[in-house]
Protein backbone atom coordinates (compact mmCIF):
# COMPACT_ATOMS: atom_id res chain seq x y z
CA UNK A 1 0.00 0.00 0.00
CA UNK A 2 1.26 3.44 -0.88
CA UNK A 3 2.17 5.77 1.98
CA UNK A 4 -0.39 8.53 2.29
CA UNK A 5 0.34 12.00 3.62
CA UNK A 6 -2.08 14.22 5.48
CA UNK A 7 -2.67 17.76 4.31
CA UNK A 8 -0.53 19.01 7.20
CA UNK A 9 2.38 16.79 6.19
CA UNK A 10 2.13 17.95 2.57
CA UNK A 11 2.05 21.57 3.69
CA UNK A 12 5.21 21.12 5.78
CA UNK A 13 7.11 19.22 3.08
CA UNK A 14 6.30 21.73 0.34
CA UNK A 15 6.13 24.99 2.29
CA UNK A 16 2.57 25.57 1.05
CA UNK A 17 -0.16 26.60 3.46
CA UNK A 18 -3.08 24.34 4.24
CA UNK A 19 -5.33 27.17 3.08
CA UNK A 20 -3.61 27.11 -0.33
CA UNK A 21 -4.08 23.35 -0.57
CA UNK A 22 -7.77 23.76 0.26
CA UNK A 23 -8.02 26.41 -2.48
CA UNK A 24 -6.28 24.19 -5.03
CA UNK A 25 -8.80 21.46 -4.14
CA UNK A 26 -11.71 23.90 -4.49
CA UNK A 27 -10.63 25.01 -7.99
CA UNK A 28 -9.87 21.40 -9.04
CA UNK A 29 -6.18 22.11 -9.55
CA UNK A 30 -4.98 19.51 -7.03
CA UNK A 31 -7.38 17.05 -5.48
CA UNK A 32 -6.34 14.67 -2.73
CA UNK A 33 -6.40 11.06 -3.84
CA UNK A 34 -8.19 9.81 -0.76
CA UNK A 35 -9.91 10.87 2.43
CA UNK A 36 -9.66 9.27 5.84
CA UNK A 37 -12.76 7.98 7.61
CA UNK A 38 -12.77 11.31 9.46
CA UNK A 39 -12.69 13.29 6.22
CA UNK A 40 -9.02 14.31 6.33
CA UNK A 41 -7.51 14.81 2.88
CA UNK A 42 -4.81 12.23 2.12
CA UNK A 43 -2.22 12.71 -0.61
CA UNK A 44 -0.06 10.22 -2.49
CA UNK A 45 3.51 10.80 -3.61
CA UNK A 46 2.12 11.39 -7.11
CA UNK A 47 -0.05 14.17 -5.69
CA UNK A 48 3.04 15.62 -4.03
CA UNK A 49 4.90 15.55 -7.36
CA UNK A 50 1.98 17.31 -9.05
CA UNK A 51 2.07 20.01 -6.36
CA UNK A 52 5.78 20.49 -6.94
CA UNK A 53 5.08 20.86 -10.66
CA UNK A 54 2.43 23.48 -9.88
CA UNK A 55 4.91 25.34 -7.69
CA UNK A 56 7.55 25.28 -10.44
CA UNK A 57 5.13 26.61 -13.04
CA UNK A 58 3.99 29.35 -10.65
CA UNK A 59 7.64 30.29 -10.11
CA UNK A 60 7.98 30.65 -13.90
CA UNK A 61 5.14 33.17 -13.82
CA UNK A 62 2.20 31.13 -15.07
CA UNK A 63 -1.25 31.83 -13.66
CA UNK A 64 -3.23 29.11 -11.92
CA UNK A 65 -5.62 29.10 -14.88
CA UNK A 66 -2.71 28.54 -17.28
CA UNK A 67 -1.30 25.81 -15.04
CA UNK A 68 -4.68 24.07 -14.89
CA UNK A 69 -4.83 24.12 -18.69
CA UNK A 70 -1.37 22.64 -19.00
CA UNK A 71 -2.06 19.89 -16.49
CA UNK A 72 -5.35 18.94 -18.17
CA UNK A 73 -3.55 18.56 -21.49
CA UNK A 74 -1.43 15.74 -20.04
Amino acid sequence: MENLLTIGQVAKRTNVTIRTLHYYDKIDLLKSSEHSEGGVRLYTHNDLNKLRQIQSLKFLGLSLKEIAGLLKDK
Side-chain angles (χ1 to χ4, degrees), residues 37-54:
E37 289 182 21
V40 175
R41 290 171 175 91
L42 298 172
Y43 296 85
T44 65
H45 287 283
N46 286 337
D47 297 330
L48 198 60
N49 289 335
K50 184 175 180 181
L51 177 57
R52 289 184 176 130
Q53 186 177 20
I54 292 166

mmCIF file of all heavy atoms in Angstrom, residues 37-54:
data_model
loop_
_atom_site.group_PDB
_atom_site.id
_atom_site.type_symbol
_atom_site.label_atom_id
_atom_site.label_comp_id
_atom_site.label_asym_id
_atom_site.label_seq_id
_atom_site.Cartn_x
_atom_site.Cartn_y
_atom_site.Cartn_z
ATOM 1 N N GLU A 37 -11.384 8.179 7.129
ATOM 2 C CA GLU A 37 -12.755 7.983 7.614
ATOM 3 C C GLU A 37 -13.291 9.251 8.255
ATOM 4 O O GLU A 37 -14.479 9.519 8.211
ATOM 5 C CB GLU A 37 -12.806 6.818 8.599
ATOM 6 C CG GLU A 37 -12.622 5.472 7.942
ATOM 7 C CD GLU A 37 -12.728 4.326 8.926
ATOM 8 O OE1 GLU A 37 -13.312 4.523 10.008
ATOM 9 O OE2 GLU A 37 -12.225 3.238 8.597
ATOM 10 N N GLY A 38 -12.394 10.057 8.821
ATOM 11 C CA GLY A 38 -12.774 11.312 9.456
ATOM 12 C C GLY A 38 -12.852 12.480 8.489
ATOM 13 O O GLY A 38 -13.139 13.603 8.892
ATOM 14 N N GLY A 39 -12.585 12.227 7.218
ATOM 15 C CA GLY A 39 -12.693 13.287 6.220
ATOM 16 C C GLY A 39 -11.412 14.062 5.956
ATOM 17 O O GLY A 39 -11.428 15.038 5.215
ATOM 18 N N VAL A 40 -10.303 13.628 6.549
ATOM 19 C CA VAL A 40 -9.025 14.306 6.335
ATOM 20 C C VAL A 40 -8.514 13.984 4.938
ATOM 21 O O VAL A 40 -8.529 12.821 4.514
ATOM 22 C CB VAL A 40 -7.986 13.866 7.401
ATOM 23 C CG1 VAL A 40 -6.610 14.458 7.123
ATOM 24 C CG2 VAL A 40 -8.458 14.246 8.785
ATOM 25 N N ARG A 41 -8.066 15.016 4.224
ATOM 26 C CA ARG A 41 -7.510 14.807 2.882
ATOM 27 C C ARG A 41 -6.188 14.043 2.993
ATOM 28 O O ARG A 41 -5.340 14.389 3.803
ATOM 29 C CB ARG A 41 -7.264 16.152 2.203
ATOM 30 C CG ARG A 41 -8.522 16.890 1.824
ATOM 31 C CD ARG A 41 -8.161 18.312 1.372
ATOM 32 N NE ARG A 41 -9.296 19.037 0.876
ATOM 33 C CZ ARG A 41 -10.090 19.810 1.618
ATOM 34 N NH1 ARG A 41 -9.855 19.944 2.909
ATOM 35 N NH2 ARG A 41 -11.109 20.439 1.075
ATOM 36 N N LEU A 42 -6.027 13.035 2.134
ATOM 37 C CA LEU A 42 -4.809 12.232 2.115
ATOM 38 C C LEU A 42 -4.214 12.289 0.713
ATOM 39 O O LEU A 42 -4.919 12.126 -0.281
ATOM 40 C CB LEU A 42 -5.114 10.786 2.509
ATOM 41 C CG LEU A 42 -5.679 10.596 3.914
ATOM 42 C CD1 LEU A 42 -6.124 9.154 4.121
ATOM 43 C CD2 LEU A 42 -4.671 11.013 4.971
ATOM 44 N N TYR A 43 -2.918 12.511 0.655
ATOM 45 C CA TYR A 43 -2.220 12.707 -0.614
ATOM 46 C C TYR A 43 -1.199 11.602 -0.843
ATOM 47 O O TYR A 43 -0.529 11.157 0.087
ATOM 48 C CB TYR A 43 -1.495 14.058 -0.615
ATOM 49 C CG TYR A 43 -2.433 15.229 -0.532
ATOM 50 C CD1 TYR A 43 -2.907 15.700 0.690
ATOM 51 C CD2 TYR A 43 -2.853 15.892 -1.680
ATOM 52 C CE1 TYR A 43 -3.768 16.772 0.762
ATOM 53 C CE2 TYR A 43 -3.710 16.978 -1.624
ATOM 54 C CZ TYR A 43 -4.162 17.408 -0.398
ATOM 55 O OH TYR A 43 -5.022 18.478 -0.327
ATOM 56 N N THR A 44 -1.071 11.200 -2.096
ATOM 57 C CA THR A 44 -0.060 10.215 -2.486
ATOM 58 C C THR A 44 1.219 10.956 -2.887
ATOM 59 O O THR A 44 1.231 12.177 -3.011
ATOM 60 C CB THR A 44 -0.543 9.385 -3.691
ATOM 61 O OG1 THR A 44 -0.682 10.268 -4.812
ATOM 62 C CG2 THR A 44 -1.859 8.683 -3.413
ATOM 63 N N HIS A 45 2.259 10.191 -3.148
ATOM 64 C CA HIS A 45 3.507 10.801 -3.614
ATOM 65 C C HIS A 45 3.325 11.383 -5.012
ATOM 66 O O HIS A 45 3.956 12.372 -5.365
ATOM 67 C CB HIS A 45 4.666 9.811 -3.533
ATOM 68 C CG HIS A 45 5.103 9.576 -2.114
ATOM 69 N ND1 HIS A 45 5.871 10.475 -1.414
ATOM 70 C CD2 HIS A 45 4.835 8.571 -1.262
ATOM 71 C CE1 HIS A 45 6.069 10.033 -0.184
ATOM 72 N NE2 HIS A 45 5.449 8.875 -0.065
ATOM 73 N N ASN A 46 2.428 10.804 -5.805
ATOM 74 C CA ASN A 46 2.122 11.386 -7.112
ATOM 75 C C ASN A 46 1.457 12.750 -6.960
ATOM 76 O O ASN A 46 1.730 13.671 -7.730
ATOM 77 C CB ASN A 46 1.220 10.455 -7.935
ATOM 78 C CG ASN A 46 1.974 9.262 -8.476
ATOM 79 O OD1 ASN A 46 3.193 9.291 -8.619
ATOM 80 N ND2 ASN A 46 1.246 8.210 -8.775
ATOM 81 N N ASP A 47 0.581 12.877 -5.962
ATOM 82 C CA ASP A 47 -0.050 14.167 -5.689
ATOM 83 C C ASP A 47 1.010 15.194 -5.286
ATOM 84 O O ASP A 47 0.969 16.357 -5.702
ATOM 85 C CB ASP A 47 -1.081 14.056 -4.565
ATOM 86 C CG ASP A 47 -2.243 13.147 -4.889
ATOM 87 O OD1 ASP A 47 -2.598 13.034 -6.077
ATOM 88 O OD2 ASP A 47 -2.793 12.544 -3.945
ATOM 89 N N LEU A 48 1.947 14.745 -4.475
ATOM 90 C CA LEU A 48 3.035 15.619 -4.033
ATOM 91 C C LEU A 48 3.877 16.078 -5.224
ATOM 92 O O LEU A 48 4.238 17.260 -5.323
ATOM 93 C CB LEU A 48 3.908 14.856 -3.027
ATOM 94 C CG LEU A 48 4.833 15.629 -2.132
ATOM 95 C CD1 LEU A 48 4.083 16.613 -1.252
ATOM 96 C CD2 LEU A 48 5.640 14.681 -1.263
ATOM 97 N N ASN A 49 4.153 15.181 -6.152
ATOM 98 C CA ASN A 49 4.899 15.554 -7.356
ATOM 99 C C ASN A 49 4.125 16.556 -8.210
ATOM 100 O O ASN A 49 4.698 17.494 -8.763
ATOM 101 C CB ASN A 49 5.245 14.313 -8.177
ATOM 102 C CG ASN A 49 6.293 13.465 -7.505
ATOM 103 O OD1 ASN A 49 7.094 13.946 -6.713
ATOM 104 N ND2 ASN A 49 6.293 12.184 -7.810
ATOM 105 N N LYS A 50 2.807 16.365 -8.298
ATOM 106 C CA LYS A 50 1.975 17.308 -9.050
ATOM 107 C C LYS A 50 2.020 18.686 -8.393
ATOM 108 O O LYS A 50 2.117 19.705 -9.081
ATOM 109 C CB LYS A 50 0.541 16.800 -9.137
ATOM 110 C CG LYS A 50 -0.356 17.672 -9.983
ATOM 111 C CD LYS A 50 -1.742 17.068 -10.154
ATOM 112 C CE LYS A 50 -2.627 17.950 -11.012
ATOM 113 N NZ LYS A 50 -3.985 17.371 -11.170
ATOM 114 N N LEU A 51 1.986 18.736 -7.073
ATOM 115 C CA LEU A 51 2.068 20.006 -6.361
ATOM 116 C C LEU A 51 3.401 20.683 -6.634
ATOM 117 O O LEU A 51 3.459 21.896 -6.857
ATOM 118 C CB LEU A 51 1.858 19.800 -4.863
ATOM 119 C CG LEU A 51 1.997 21.044 -3.994
ATOM 120 C CD1 LEU A 51 1.041 22.152 -4.440
ATOM 121 C CD2 LEU A 51 1.785 20.694 -2.530
ATOM 122 N N ARG A 52 4.465 19.915 -6.641
ATOM 123 C CA ARG A 52 5.783 20.491 -6.935
ATOM 124 C C ARG A 52 5.836 21.041 -8.359
ATOM 125 O O ARG A 52 6.445 22.070 -8.624
ATOM 126 C CB ARG A 52 6.871 19.450 -6.696
ATOM 127 C CG ARG A 52 7.061 19.170 -5.212
ATOM 128 C CD ARG A 52 8.197 18.209 -4.952
ATOM 129 N NE ARG A 52 8.395 18.043 -3.524
ATOM 130 C CZ ARG A 52 8.480 16.881 -2.914
ATOM 131 N NH1 ARG A 52 8.420 15.762 -3.600
ATOM 132 N NH2 ARG A 52 8.657 16.811 -1.610
ATOM 133 N N GLN A 53 5.158 20.361 -9.279
ATOM 134 C CA GLN A 53 5.078 20.856 -10.655
ATOM 135 C C GLN A 53 4.301 22.174 -10.695
ATOM 136 O O GLN A 53 4.700 23.117 -11.382
ATOM 137 C CB GLN A 53 4.407 19.807 -11.533
ATOM 138 C CG GLN A 53 4.398 20.167 -12.992
ATOM 139 C CD GLN A 53 3.788 19.065 -13.853
ATOM 140 O OE1 GLN A 53 3.055 18.210 -13.366
ATOM 141 N NE2 GLN A 53 4.099 19.093 -15.124
ATOM 142 N N ILE A 54 3.210 22.243 -9.965
ATOM 143 C CA ILE A 54 2.427 23.476 -9.884
ATOM 144 C C ILE A 54 3.292 24.611 -9.339
ATOM 145 O O ILE A 54 3.293 25.723 -9.884
ATOM 146 C CB ILE A 54 1.170 23.273 -9.009
ATOM 147 C CG1 ILE A 54 0.198 22.318 -9.705
ATOM 148 C CG2 ILE A 54 0.501 24.599 -8.673
ATOM 149 C CD1 ILE A 54 -0.916 21.785 -8.802
#
